[in-house]
Amino acid sequence: MVETAALLVDHVLLHRPVRQWTQSFPYPLQFLLISNLRVMGKVLGIVNRVIPTHSRPLQPIGQPDI
């Protein structure tokens, strides 16, 4: 796994800013999502659609964060 991460950082992603997201849900909702893949797909589709609309655009390389 470490080798894969190093390969991605050094040769694939290069020197571009990357945003990482970790999504967590309350336990009752986690159990629903685990047991029903169709619901999980719909929920993750909504999450993936909404997050970019509410996040700041990526800063160009060399530009300070505001």
Side-chain angles (χ1 to χ4, degrees):
M1 185 184 294
V2 174
E3 294 86 10
T4 302
L7 174 73
L8 287 172
V9 169
D10 294 339
H11 300 289
V12 177
L13 300 175
L14 301 175
H15 300 288
R16 299 274 183 203
V18 176
R19 302 252 170 137
Q20 274 185 291
W21 297 95
T22 302
Q23 186 62 50
S24 61
F25 295 100
Y27 282 118
L29 188 54
Q30 287 181 26
F31 295 129
L32 171 67
L33 296 176
I34 290 169
S35 65
N36 191 333
L37 295 179
R38 177 180 241 168
V39 172
M40 180 170 60
K42 290 185 181 283
V43 169
L44 293 179
I46 292 168
V47 169
N48 288 333
R49 188 175 65 242
V50 169
I51 286 177
T53 63
H54 292 287
S55 63
R56 293 186 315 163
L58 293 175
Q59 294 289 326
I61 296 174
Q63 296 292 322
D65 275 341
I66 297 175

